[in-house]
Amino acid sequence: MALALQTFATVKDANGALKAAGTRYLGGGTLVVRAANEGDVSVSGLVMSTDPALSAIDVGGGKVRIGASVTMAELARHPELGSVAKAARAVGGPAIRNMATVGGNLFAPAPYGDFAVALLALDAAVGTDDGERPIETFLAGRGDSRAIVTSVSLTLPRADSFRFLKVSRVKPKGVSVLSIAVVLEQAGDGTVSSARIALGCMADRPVRAKAAEKALIGRMLDPDGIAPALAAAGEGTAPITDPIASAWYRAEVLPVHLGRLLLGLA
């Protein structure tokens, strides 16, 4: 089936074209083109924008704005984004990273969307043509959204505060069994003063492990200190079952891998 492609200079014009039935926005194409190639007859036309802001990375004052069309490969090699480069490199192999975009990754269904897990832990804000919203709010309603994502914005973490782990059966570019991102702040005595933990494959979208976050506060990052957090890690989650792993298996191994990440062993 041939797909009609419309290209617009502005996001506003592209968004107007998306009101037509059967149209989808084309970023890197790793999701929508594959769906069409696999026989998704609901896709009849593609819309894209060449707005330069979509491909820009602006860093300053400890903050970064990443255009939605920026690819994982561009993120991974950017000299000022080393603290989040590991999460970008976790997305597929080199060919996929050259195409997969930041905006597209926000819509990737589990077990994909590893970079979105990192963005959730980093408390990013998602920009669209109708404003900006917290990433957690965006992810909860992404299935109902027709707004074009234009950017993500976040405060760059210190290298020692952000931790990321992708667990897969095939190295180095297998599909995720789990992905975990953690942002920790510690007080002068070494206890955890704040924590954000995001999980991939533990629901149909990236989710926070809020019970585990709460259990870490005031605790040391040692086996005894993290034990309550590991016991609470799966609370409120609904792991997926797919050809990679069952929901039971994901729930069982989550505390193991989260523990290694928190102890700095991953």
Side-chain angles (χ1 to χ4, degrees):
M1 178 181 68
L3 294 177
L5 173 63
Q6 301 178 77
T7 302
F8 298 91
T10 69
V11 172
K12 181 179 179 180
D13 289 341
N15 198 54
L18 277 178
K19 292 180 171 58
T23 56
R24 299 289 189 276
Y25 187 78
L26 177 66
T30 60
L31 297 176
V32 68
V33 173
R34 183 178 68 179
N37 287 341
E38 290 177 350
D40 185 348
V41 295
S42 69
V43 183
S44 59
L46 301 175
V47 171
M48 66 180 298
S49 173
T50 56
D51 188 334
L54 294 174
S55 300
I57 300 176
D58 299 314
V59 183
K63 298 183 181 298
V64 59
R65 179 195 178 277
I66 305 169
S69 294
V70 172
T71 67
M72 296 298 132
E74 290 169 327
L75 281 176
R77 63 175 177 257
H78 194 282
E80 297 179 87
L81 300 181
S83 56
V84 297
K86 182 177 182 180
R89 288 194 294 267
V91 177
I96 292 294
R97 289 194 292 274
N98 281 331
M99 298 172 61
T101 63
V102 170
N105 204 256
L106 293 171
F107 292 91
Y112 307 104
D114 299 303
F115 193 72
V117 176
L119 291 174
L120 178 57
L122 291 165
D123 198 20
V126 178
T128 67
D129 58 320
D130 60 359
E132 201 171 59
R133 68 197 76 176
I135 187 171
E136 195 164 1
T137 302
F138 175 84
L139 291 172
R142 67 182 181 181
D144 302 320
S145 176
R146 291 285 285 176
I148 296 174
V149 172
T150 56
S151 65
V152 293
S153 301
L154 56 105
T155 299
L156 286 173
R158 297 195 319 272
D160 59 347
S161 68
F162 175 69
R163 305 178 186 187
F164 180 84
L165 174 65
K166 174 180 176 177
V167 181
S168 61
R169 297 181 186 274
V170 178
K171 308 295 182 182
K173 58 178 182 178
V175 177
S176 292
V177 173
L178 289 171
S179 52
I180 309 171
V182 176
V183 177
L184 298 172
E185 297 293 341
Q186 293 174 266
D189 61 358
T191 59
V192 176
S193 57
S194 70
R196 286 180 65 92
I197 302 172
L199 308 173
C201 299
M202 295 302 291
D204 62 346
R205 63 183 186 277
V207 293
R208 296 261 303 278
K210 294 185 178 180
E213 293 172 354
K214 183 177 180 180
L216 275 178
I217 303 302
R219 309 282 295 192
M220 298 293 291
L221 292 178
D222 57 31
D224 290 336
I226 68 173
L230 301 187
E235 289 186 21
T237 64
I240 66 168
T241 291
D242 61 9
I244 305 300
S246 67
W248 174 87
Y249 181 79
R250 286 183 162 104
E252 288 294 304
V253 301
L254 171 61
V256 176
H257 292 292
L258 177 58
R260 291 174 179 171
L261 193 59
L262 292 174
L263 294 174
L265 303 176

